[in-house]
Amino acid sequence: MVTAWILLAAYVIDRLVGDPRRLPHPVVGMGKVIAAVERGIRRRWTQPRSLRRAGVLLPLIVAGGAWGVTALLLWSLSLMSPWLVWIAEAWLISTTIAAKGLRDAGMAVYSELRKGDIPAARKALGMIVGRDTAALDSPEMVRGTVETVAENIVDAIISPLLYALLGGAPLAMAYRAVNTLDSMVGYKNDKYRDLGWASARLDDVANYIPARITALLLTLCAWLLRLDYRNCLLTVRRDARRHPSPNSGYPESAVAGALGIRLGGYNVYHGVASFRAYMGEPLRTMEPEDIILASRLMLLCSTLFVSFCAAAAWLWTGG
C-alpha cells in the first residue's frame, strides 16, 4: 500500500514541480561522478583492450554506487521516522521521471513555431537534440521534437517507474545512473567505442522490456485519444526493428503510426549527414500541432502506467 502511494506521489511531484533549477538534481551529481571515474580510468589504462575491460567498471561503480548511496540514505532516515523514508523516496523517484520536463521542452519548440520565429525554434530544439538545427525548416523541427518526445517516453518515464516498482528508489536511481552513463559515454565513436560499450549494452538491456511495454501502451493511448491505433500497432510491427537502437524504434514507430506521419530520415551531426531508418508512412505533412499530439500521447501513457504500477504494488502487498 505504501509503495503504491509513493509511486503516485512521485509522479504527481514530477508533473507539478519537474526539475527546479534551484534544487540540486541527482543526475548532475551522477554526471560529475561519471566524469571523475572516466578520468581515473583513462589515467590508469590507455590501450583499447585494457579500456574495453575497464569499461565494465563504469556501470559497476556508478550504477552500483547510486543504488548503495540511495539505500544507505533511506536506511539512515528509517532510524528516525518511516515518514522521512516515504517522503525522501517519493522525492528521489520523482527526480528519475521527466514527464513535465519532456512536455515543456516540446512545447517550447511548438510555441516558437506557432509564432513563426524559426531561429528561436531552432535554438529551442537544439537544447534537446544532438543534431545540427541551424538549417532545419518547420517540418524537420517538428520531426526532431516528436522523435525526442517519443523516444524519451521509455527512459524518462516508463523505465524509471518500472524499476521503482520493482526495487524502490535505490533501483530507480541505479537505472537513472545507467541511462546517464549511456548518454555520456555510450557512443560508437573513436573516443568511447572501447570505454563505453558496457554502459551502452547495459542501457539496452535495462530498456528492453520497458520499450515494448511502451509500444503497447501507446497503442491503447491512440485508441483512447481517437488516433489511428490500428496503424500504430501495424507500424510498430513493421518498422520498430529497423531502428539502429534495439529499443528506441518501439516508441518512435508507435507515435509515427498513431499520428500518420513518417519519422526518421537524414540528420546532420557536426556537419556529417547520417541516415536513420524511416518509421511510419508520410500520410500527411507534419505540422506543429503534431508536437501537441505527441505530448498528449506521452502524458496519457505515463498516467496509465503509473496507475498500473500503483495497482500492481497494492495487489502485491495484498491490498
Side-chain angles (χ1 to χ4, degrees):
M1 188 71 176
V2 171
T3 301
W5 285 112
I6 287 174
L7 291 172
L8 291 172
Y11 181 69
V12 171
I13 290 170
D14 174 69
R15 288 292 301 272
L16 294 177
V17 180
D19 298 322
R21 294 184 180 182
R22 64 183 179 275
L23 295 178
H25 197 284
V27 172
V28 177
M30 291 176 188
K32 293 179 179 179
V33 171
I34 291 169
V37 174
E38 179 186 350
R39 287 194 298 269
I41 288 176
R42 290 189 183 279
R43 281 196 296 265
R44 177 66 178 82
W45 294 285
T46 59
Q47 298 302 313
R49 180 175 296 181
S50 59
L51 276 176
R52 189 170 180 82
R53 292 173 180 171
V56 179
L57 291 176
L58 270 174
L60 287 176
I61 294 173
V62 178
W67 186 93
V69 169
T70 305
L72 180 61
L73 172 63
L74 295 178
W75 175 79
S76 300
L77 293 174
S78 72
L79 301 178
M80 294 178 276
S81 168
W83 283 98
L84 290 177
V85 178
W86 300 337
I87 292 170
E89 191 153 21
W91 175 259
L92 288 170
I93 293 172
S94 77
T95 65
T96 68
I97 309 168
K100 183 179 186 298
L102 194 54
R103 179 188 180 278
D104 290 348
M107 292 308 296
V109 180
Y110 170 80
S111 297
E112 300 301 341
L113 288 175
R114 291 300 300 168
K115 290 188 294 186
D117 193 339
I118 298 301
R122 289 169 177 164
K123 183 177 180 181
L125 179 60
M127 299 293 291
I128 58 174
V129 299
R131 71 193 68 174
D132 298 344
T133 62
L136 297 183
D137 58 13
S138 179
E140 282 297 295
M141 282 188 279
V142 171
R143 176 170 75 87
T145 307
V146 171
E147 286 174 351
T148 299
V149 171
E151 180 180 0
N152 282 282
I153 295 172
V154 176
D155 55 16
I157 301 170
I158 304 302
S159 287
L161 283 172
L162 177 61
Y163 289 111
L165 170 66
L166 297 176
L171 192 57
M173 295 299 288
Y175 166 76
R176 179 52 62 204
V178 170
N179 190 246
T180 305
L181 274 165
D182 182 62
S183 66
M184 292 182 65
V185 304
Y187 298 102
K188 296 180 180 179
N189 55 26
D190 292 340
K191 183 177 181 180
Y192 288 115
R193 182 177 292 109
D194 298 308
L195 182 62
W197 73 272
S199 298
R201 292 283 181 85
L202 185 57
D203 184 74
D204 288 343
V205 171
N207 286 314
Y208 187 87
I209 292 176
R212 286 141 183 86
I213 292 174
T214 301
L216 294 175
L217 277 174
L218 285 170
T219 303
L220 175 59
C221 292
W223 177 70
L224 292 172
L225 293 174
R226 297 185 178 181
L227 298 172
D228 196 342
Y229 69 93
R230 291 188 179 89
N231 192 45
C232 175
L233 187 59
L234 174 64
T235 305
V236 170
R237 294 177 62 182
R238 186 191 64 210
D239 296 342
R241 292 180 179 84
R242 298 177 182 176
H243 199 285
S245 163
N247 301 315
S248 297
Y250 285 85
E252 286 191 28
S253 60
V255 171
L259 300 186
I261 60 177
R262 186 174 70 181
L263 301 178
Y266 283 97
N267 300 320
V268 178
Y269 299 92
H270 305 293
V272 180
S274 174
F275 179 78
R276 180 171 291 179
Y278 289 124
M279 303 279 119
E281 295 293 333
L283 303 179
R284 58 179 179 80
T285 303
M286 283 180 281
E287 301 175 349
E289 282 67 25
D290 288 319
I291 297 173
I292 294 180
L293 292 175
S295 295
R296 287 176 181 170
L297 280 167
M298 178 269 295
L299 291 176
L300 181 56
C301 182
S302 61
T303 301
L304 288 177
F305 189 66
V306 75
S307 300
F308 293 156
C309 287
W314 184 72
L315 293 172
W316 196 347
T317 54

